[in-house]
Amino acid sequence: MGKSDTPIIEDWKTYRLSFQEQAVAIVAELTTEEKISLMSGRLTREEIRSQILNKKKTHYNETPYWAGGLARKNVMPILFVDGSRGVVCQRGVYTAFPAEILRGATFDRELETEIGAAIAEEVLYAGGNLFGGVCVNLPYHPGWGRMQECYGEDSYLLGEMGSALVRGVQSRGVIACVKHYAFNSMENNRLNVNIVGAPGIVVEREERLLKGFARIHLKENEEQSVTMECPLEELTYFDEESGEMVLEQGTYRIFVEDLQAEILIK
């Protein structure tokens, strides 16, 4: 297999943000129809499902799935390539890495980042630009048919290994799609059900600690000063009854967790 023409860019985030003004200008010139087209895929649900159920000669995701794109403005489409053991396109061409359940058992974040980078190179070679194989499901039963796509049943392990894979994929300029946070832990019947949380059930989880955080790594006896900005909008949450972002009144304080060395807003 040949090599992809991946540009040598040290900081992909900064590179992409350099196009912010250009992107805003392009969007301002688009018609409503063109904006809607950017959110649309090229295949119907029936076409994709028939590939999954082996009703066509081509298998699922044999070529990258196109979505969006606008030639008039030189806007590239999203070119989706699924995983999670590596690129699924074509047949017998790309590397089949160990399943995530095995990689999770290594607890090796550096190795997972290297795997992510290797997968990203093959995504580019396949003609894709988005990898949809970062699976961080929290499995509830070991008999679930896609259990092998998860790192394990521990939420901290899922976060650490999932973020390591993302870093590797993004290091080559490929978009990393993290998926299946909740309510998607079945396979063939997943498009025919409506999963809702049971009324009156309160999830005992610090749900609003998602944005205001900073992470530092300290060596033994090392000290660091940490400066962290936390705008008020970072503390809002979506209220389903009003349909608006809400900021609760009250006093907010900084909480430092001593186990993971993370500074969190509580």
Side-chain angles (χ1 to χ4, degrees), residues 229-243:
E229 296 182 0
C230 189
L232 290 179
E233 56 265 24
E234 295 288 343
L235 301 177
T236 60
Y237 68 97
F238 182 74
D239 182 70
E240 293 184 352
E241 294 185 1
S242 66

Side-chain angles (χ1 to χ4, degrees), residues 24-133:
V24 171
I26 290 175
V27 172
E29 297 175 358
L30 300 183
T31 65
T32 300
E33 290 75 13
E34 287 174 329
K35 292 177 181 178
I36 294 174
S37 73
L38 293 176
M39 299 184 291
S40 302
R42 301 287 183 89
L43 295 177
T44 65
R45 170 186 170 182
E46 288 72 24
E47 288 175 315
I48 295 177
R49 290 298 292 172
S50 66
Q51 291 180 352
I52 294 175
L53 298 175
N54 296 320
K55 293 182 179 180
K56 288 193 172 183
K57 293 181 180 180
T58 56
H59 67 73
Y60 164 70
N61 208 182
E62 185 156 333
T63 59
Y65 289 148
W66 284 49
L70 193 62
R72 183 175 74 84
K73 287 295 184 180
N74 198 30
V75 176
M76 287 289 295
I78 293 294
L79 296 163
F80 171 86
V81 173
D82 213 348
S84 61
R85 295 184 60 185
V87 172
V88 303
C89 297
Q90 301 181 41
R91 301 168 189 264
V93 176
Y94 301 105
T95 307
F97 292 92
E100 284 188 352
I101 192 67
L102 295 178
R103 295 183 346 236
T106 69
F107 304 99
D108 193 331
R109 287 167 288 196
E110 293 184 3
L111 177 60
E112 190 66 6
T113 298
E114 292 180 10
I115 290 175
I119 290 175
E121 289 284 355
E122 297 193 339
V123 168
L124 295 170
Y125 187 85
N129 57 22
L130 182 148
F131 177 61

